């Protein structure tokens, strides 16, 4: 495929330091990297361009002056490094990505937090706990039409609900074995929760009441083997990554099996480690293949249309990518996990 042309200290001391730092801190803002914007496209010439690289996001605020950060102050008192991943200035292991008209929602289990970035001001809101308990492994986050934020934490075995301002509200009812992928139908308020160890997808309303279940363990149509990710298209169809069946399954808005695509393999038109799934306005299905460090684009019949990205650390490269989301403007957001960044691309249209 062508490319381009924290250590213990006394509680009183810690609280004092935190208060002092908060009083003089500058607003936290995401730092977008536009260095290679528009200069990388797929496919390469002479073919018509279909995907264009736009920008990436890794830094969550400007670099601190050495010796003035929380880590430096506390380390000076204790003689040890007290770095807490939750307060890292950068993304650490982003896995879930979602975007609405106003904000980006980045689930970063490496930092045990969800980072919400305003798309205009780039102001950053961080969600680190639920009902007084620290998040352990937030793996996905989405928002509803009312602004509420939903976060899945498979280690805590719950999906949590927050206000638009990040205040904890409640958690979803019903036991789950390992909730992972989330998807929302913003027209109806329906929330889909992928339960990887339960081998199913739960259907909830926006208040967190369980309304149904899709699937069971198996290999047949509508059955799952460790499902992981989900996406809802503009018509309300549900797409689910059926990870160890090496495929994506499609369901109608009423939960009926509709279609499937993908087979196990290491060729470009097969799937080795399918992760996130998303769909553009023209109905093309994008699947992150972490085994190949690329995004593969298929038609509904399973035909490969295009693949973009390759293994590496440059702009447009990936290293074990996971989540993907496509917004109403056909901007493509990919969680480039080991490269510790979100990369953004534009679908340019066309069959």
């Amino acid at each position: 495929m062508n490319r381009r042309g924290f250590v213990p200290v006394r509680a009183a001391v810690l609280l004092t330091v935190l208060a002092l730092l908060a009083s003089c801190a500058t607003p936290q803002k995401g730092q977008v990297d536009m260095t290679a914007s528009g200069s990388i496209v797929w496919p390469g010439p002479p073919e018509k361009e279909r995907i264009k690289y736009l920008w990436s996001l890794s830094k969550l605020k400007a670099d601190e002056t050495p010796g003035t950060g929380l880590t430096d102050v506390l380390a000076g008192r204790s003689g040890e490094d007290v770095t807490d991943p939750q307060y890292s200035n950068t993304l650490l292991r982003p896995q879930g990505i979602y975007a609405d008209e106003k904000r980006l929602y980045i689930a970063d289990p490496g930092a045990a937090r969800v980072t919400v970035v305003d798309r205009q001001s780039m102001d950053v809101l961080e969600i680190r706990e639920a009902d007084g308990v620290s998040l352990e492994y937030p793996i996905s986050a989405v928002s509803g039409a009312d602004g509420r934020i939903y976060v899945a934490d498979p280690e805590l075995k719950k999906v949590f609900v927050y206000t638009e301002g990040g205040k904890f509200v409640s958690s979803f009812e019903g036991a789950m074995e390992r909730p992972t992928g989330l998807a929302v139908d913003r027209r109806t308020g329906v929330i889909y929760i992928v339960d990887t160890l339960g081998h199913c997808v739960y259907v909830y309303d926006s208040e967190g009441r369980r309304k149904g279940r899709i699937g069971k363990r198996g290999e047949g149509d509508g059955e799952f083997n460790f499902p992981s990710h989900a996406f809802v298209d503009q018509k309300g169809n549900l797409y689910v990554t059926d990870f160890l069946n090496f495929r994506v399954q499609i369901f109608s808005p009423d939960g009926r099996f509709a279609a499937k695509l993908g087979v196990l393999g290491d060729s470009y038109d097969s799937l080795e480690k399918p992760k996130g799934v998303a769909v553009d306005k023209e109905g093309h299905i994008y699947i992150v293949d972490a085994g190949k460090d690329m995004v593969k684009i298929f038609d509904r019949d399973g035909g490969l249309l295009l693949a973009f990205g390759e293994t590496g650390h440059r702009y447009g490269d990936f290293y074990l990518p996971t989540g993907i989301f496509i917004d109403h403007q056909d901007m493509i957001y990919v969680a480039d996990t080991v490269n510790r960044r979100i990369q953004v691309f534009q679908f340019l249209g066309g069959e």
Side-chain angles (χ1 to χ4, degrees):
M1 191 69 196
N2 289 331
R3 178 193 179 281
R4 288 184 175 81
F6 207 74
V7 284
V9 294
R10 296 174 61 183
V13 172
L14 175 58
L15 292 173
T16 300
V17 171
L18 287 172
L20 286 171
L21 290 174
S23 67
C24 61
T26 56
Q28 188 169 344
K29 292 181 179 288
Q31 307 290 303
V32 169
D33 185 347
M34 301 284 292
T35 303
S37 182
S39 65
I40 309 170
V41 297
W42 294 266
E47 299 181 63
K48 182 178 179 180
E49 300 170 358
R50 307 294 184 182
I51 302 293
K52 177 172 65 176
Y53 172 85
L54 296 181
W55 47 268
S56 66
L57 173 65
S58 178
K59 289 187 177 182
L60 302 179
K61 60 181 174 180
D63 294 332
E64 296 174 328
T65 302
T68 63
L70 176 59
T71 298
D72 299 297
V73 174
L74 294 183
R77 292 177 180 273
S78 66
E80 301 177 61
D81 183 5
V82 294
T83 301
D84 184 337
Q86 283 194 330
Y87 296 90
S88 168
N89 292 348
T90 66
L91 299 176
L92 293 184
R93 285 292 188 274
Q95 290 198 32
I97 177 67
Y98 182 85
D100 60 24
E101 295 81 1
K102 299 188 296 183
R103 306 196 291 183
L104 304 181
Y105 305 80
I106 306 168
D108 188 349
R113 70 187 178 208
V114 171
T115 298
V116 183
V117 183
D118 186 286
R119 297 176 69 154
Q120 294 298 319
S121 68
M122 297 306 294
D123 289 342
V124 171
L125 168 69
E126 294 183 336
I127 299 174
R128 303 187 182 97
E129 63 176 41
D131 201 19
V133 176
S134 295
L135 296 175
E136 292 187 12
Y137 202 84
I139 198 168
S140 59
V142 299
S143 72
D146 60 359
R148 285 192 174 190
I149 304 167
Y150 305 90
V151 177
D153 190 319
E155 294 299 314
L156 296 178
K157 300 183 179 182
K158 289 183 178 293
V159 173
F160 301 106
V161 186
Y162 302 84
T163 66
E164 188 173 4
K167 180 180 179 180
F168 171 76
V169 175
S170 62
S171 60
F172 278 35
E173 67 179 22
M176 292 175 248
E177 295 188 57
R178 190 170 180 82
T180 51
L182 296 177
V184 57
D185 187 334
R186 292 172 68 92
R187 306 169 310 152
T188 64
V190 169
I191 311 292
Y192 295 98
I193 303 174
V194 178
D195 189 340
T196 297
L197 294 185
H199 308 283
C200 66
V201 177
Y202 288 114
V203 184
Y204 282 79
D205 65 18
S206 59
E207 298 301 317
R209 296 181 290 251
R210 186 177 291 178
K211 296 300 182 180
R213 166 180 173 152
I214 300 171
K216 62 180 181 179
R217 190 168 192 179
E219 298 177 355
D221 294 347
E223 298 177 338
F224 300 109
N225 191 15
F226 296 93
S228 58
H229 297 74
F231 183 85
V232 174
D233 69 14
Q234 294 183 345
K235 298 179 180 179
N237 298 303
L238 173 68
Y239 300 74
V240 182
T241 303
D242 190 6
F243 180 60
L244 286 186
N245 279 327
F246 307 97
R247 64 188 182 183
V248 165
Q249 296 196 69
I250 308 171
F251 299 84
S252 64
D254 60 2
R256 292 181 292 109
F257 171 81
K260 60 187 175 184
L261 65 140
V263 294
L264 172 63
D266 59 4
S267 61
Y268 282 112
D269 61 351
S270 59
L271 299 173
E272 185 177 342
K273 293 182 179 179
K275 296 288 187 176
V277 59
V279 182
D280 65 29
K281 287 192 290 190
E282 295 186 7
H284 308 125
I285 303 166
Y286 297 61
I287 304 174
V288 175
D289 192 337
K292 291 296 184 182
D293 294 313
M294 64 175 55
V295 176
K296 298 178 178 180
I297 308 175
F298 297 87
D299 60 27
R300 193 179 174 95
D301 295 325
L304 180 69
L305 302 174
L306 180 66
F308 66 93
E310 61 184 67
T311 305
H313 311 288
R314 302 168 298 174
Y315 298 110
D317 290 348
F318 299 116
Y319 196 3
L320 291 180
T322 47
I324 186 172
F325 186 79
I326 300 177
D327 68 11
H328 66 289
Q329 296 179 320
D330 276 343
M331 292 176 66
I332 307 157
Y333 307 78
V334 181
D336 188 9
T337 304
V338 177
N339 280 328
R340 303 185 178 190
R341 63 190 179 186
I342 300 297
Q343 294 202 81
V344 185
F345 307 82
Q346 180 70 58
F347 170 54
L348 302 174
E351 293 297 330

